[in-house]
Amino acid sequence: MVDRLGAHASAWDALVDSMPLPSPFLRSWWLAEVATGDPRIVLVFDDDDLVGGLALQRSTKAGVEVLQFLGTGPLEPDHLDLVAAPARVADVVAAIRAWLAAGDRLVDLVGARPAAWVLDAVPGRGEVTDLEVAPYVALPDDRADYLATRQGRMRSTITRTAKRLAKAGVTFRVVGGPDTEPADVDRSLSALHELHDGRWGDESGFLASWDSFAAAARSGAAAGEVRFHELVSADGEIVAIETDFVVGGRMSFYQAGRLTEHELRGSGSVLRYDVIGAAIEAGCTEFDLLRGGEDYKTDWADQRRGLIRIRRGTGPRSQALVAVARLNAFVQHRRSLRVATEVPTGDT
């Protein structure tokens, strides 16, 4: 077990690349910066060869050790799992299960993919529950072919708005990649923070972990796996920005922000269409909108993946915490049902 991947980062990333669904939130540049607890990265070797592992963070609750996916918190990573060489999955699962079983621990893994290998690696008693969905769309070979699959109103909005913004001198720009200057990345990060904060303010949990995200994004941009997609006005001002990850032939939307002036209405949709066009041109086969089933995502994606939470205790104290959490969830559910069915009364 280690607290940083260090010299094993390249081998780890190669294992991520070989997974059925490579997640940007498993890349070494992300894991190095985003822990909200004490990092605990379990590595499995065959002699000197890294064949798998599980990236965790450790905290305590009521005196019980709690293990979560590394990065769990405001940054909300998803599509998570252990990593393993394709031919060594069973060996890695067995090794990690044995490590997790050594003690009274609460293993609470939020954001796993439904077919996660780690399901079989977590011992003890508990539950597996469904979380939010993650919408995505398979990409064609041409951006025009993609647009043709969208609803007529959306196509019209994008086409008309793109013409209006182009006439005003607004252009599309991509920042990120091995040749990108650090100053350009810092400029994009500054614009993302300002525009996201201006749009969402205190409603944004993302900004609570800004420093961790920014550090990871700088490393990811240098590796060509974090892209800042921007709409820039004629005088050089960034009026809309979207941050996306490019990992394993998939582009994943993460965060965005934009100005809300009337003359810039529709800029978010035009930017998203340019982002998808850039994904197609980069050879990506999928655009993933990640966690959250918000209505606007159905405009862009027509398929969904589920996400799950695995919560199990390996001993009596941790299993008691699982039981308490299950009871609290049941009470909250009953309370929400009662509120929803109550009919307000008053004088008539």
Side-chain angles (χ1 to χ4, degrees), residues 151-191:
Q151 295 183 356
R153 183 175 180 180
M154 178 180 173
R155 296 197 305 269
S156 176
T157 297
I158 290 173
T159 301
R160 288 186 291 103
T161 305
K163 290 179 179 178
R164 172 166 47 82
L165 294 178
K167 187 175 181 180
V170 175
T171 56
F172 174 66
R173 178 171 67 194
V174 182
V175 175
D179 298 326
T180 299
E181 294 292 331
D184 293 333
V185 174
D186 285 341
R187 180 201 62 217
S188 296
L189 283 168
S190 178

Side-chain angles (χ1 to χ4, degrees), residues 58 63-67 95-107 121-125 312-320 322:
R58 178 190 178 277
V64 175
E65 183 181 34
V66 180
L67 296 173
I96 290 176
R97 186 179 180 88
W99 186 87
L100 289 173
D104 191 346
R105 292 165 162 163
L106 173 61
V107 184
V122 180
R125 292 182 178 181
R312 293 173 181 160
T314 63
R317 292 188 302 161
S318 58
Q319 289 171 8
V322 172

Side-chain angles (χ1 to χ4, degrees), residues 129-334:
T129 54
D130 292 328
L131 298 176
E132 298 175 282
V133 296
Y136 71 99
V137 62
L139 296 177
D141 295 330
D142 184 86
R143 67 164 65 195
D145 292 338
Y146 169 80
L147 188 59
T149 66
R150 302 299 96 190
Q151 295 183 356
R153 183 175 180 180
M154 178 180 173
R155 296 197 305 269
S156 176
T157 297
I158 290 173
T159 301
R160 288 186 291 103
T161 305
K163 290 179 179 178
R164 172 166 47 82
L165 294 178
K167 187 175 181 180
V170 175
T171 56
F172 174 66
R173 178 171 67 194
V174 182
V175 175
D179 298 326
T180 299
E181 294 292 331
D184 293 333
V185 174
D186 285 341
R187 180 201 62 217
S188 296
L189 283 168
S190 178
L192 176 64
H193 189 287
E194 180 180 352
L195 293 174
H196 186 87
D197 187 36
R199 186 81 191 281
W200 302 109
D202 293 339
E203 296 179 25
S204 172
F206 161 61
L207 294 179
S209 293
W210 174 260
D211 290 343
S212 295
F213 165 76
R218 290 186 181 98
S219 298
E225 295 186 337
V226 173
R227 309 277 174 86
F228 298 94
H229 297 101
E230 303 167 352
L231 290 184
V232 185
S233 69
D235 60 2
E237 181 183 17
I238 299 173
V239 301
I241 186 168
E242 178 174 312
T243 305
D244 300 89
F245 301 133
V246 183
V247 172
R250 302 166 56 246
M251 184 174 285
S252 303
F253 162 63
Y254 189 58
Q255 289 290 347
R258 62 180 176 85
L259 295 177
T260 57
E261 280 79 351
H262 180 71
E263 62 269 22
L264 295 171
R265 63 193 182 279
S267 60
S269 294
V270 170
L271 177 57
R272 174 66 48 74
Y273 179 53
D274 282 335
V275 169
I276 290 175
I280 292 170
E281 291 161 10
C284 295
T285 58
E286 179 182 300
F287 186 72
D288 191 341
L289 286 102
L290 296 180
R291 183 190 303 199
E294 296 89 342
D295 290 342
Y296 81 88
K297 292 185 178 182
T298 61
D299 291 337
W300 301 96
D302 50 19
Q303 300 182 74
R304 294 183 170 195
R305 294 186 181 94
L307 297 169
I308 61 172
R309 179 179 192 172
I310 307 163
R311 184 164 49 188
R312 293 173 181 160
T314 63
R317 292 188 302 161
S318 58
Q319 289 171 8
L321 287 180
V322 172
V324 169
R326 184 187 298 117
L327 177 60
N328 288 339
F330 174 76
V331 170
Q332 291 173 4
H333 177 66
R334 291 294 298 269

